[in-house]
Amino acid sequence: MDPPATRAVAKASPLTYVTSRAAPFLIVHGDHDPIVAYPQSQLLENALKKAGVPVTFYTIQDGGHGGFTDPQVAEVTKEFLEKYLK
């Protein structure tokens, strides 16, 4: 049996919940995020692709955790929503 800490980590990880029935994902992540490690989003992207889930992953170069000022975020978000909310 897994130790409680291992179960807690798995429960908190979005990777645990990836299935082929997931809705399309938009991931926007700063590559210098001090709170959530950038490779976590890379792992999520890979798991979603492996499950056949459409995923758009946009990296904020030199970005931290939120508060993005990159004007491309709005464009990427608009394109994503136009594609999947029709």
Side-chain angles (χ1 to χ4, degrees), residues 6-61:
T6 302
R7 287 192 302 271
V9 168
K11 189 175 179 181
S13 173
L15 296 175
T16 300
Y17 305 100
V18 170
T19 72
S20 62
R21 296 180 6 193
F25 263 71
L26 170 61
I27 303 169
V28 178
H29 201 138
D31 62 358
H32 287 95
D33 188 331
I35 297 172
V36 178
Y38 179 76
Q40 293 298 313
S41 284
Q42 293 173 312
L43 290 171
L44 179 58
E45 177 193 30
N46 290 336
L48 290 163
K49 284 181 176 179
K50 185 175 179 180
V53 176
V55 59
T56 300
F57 185 12
Y58 184 74
T59 300
I60 306 294
Q61 297 298 321

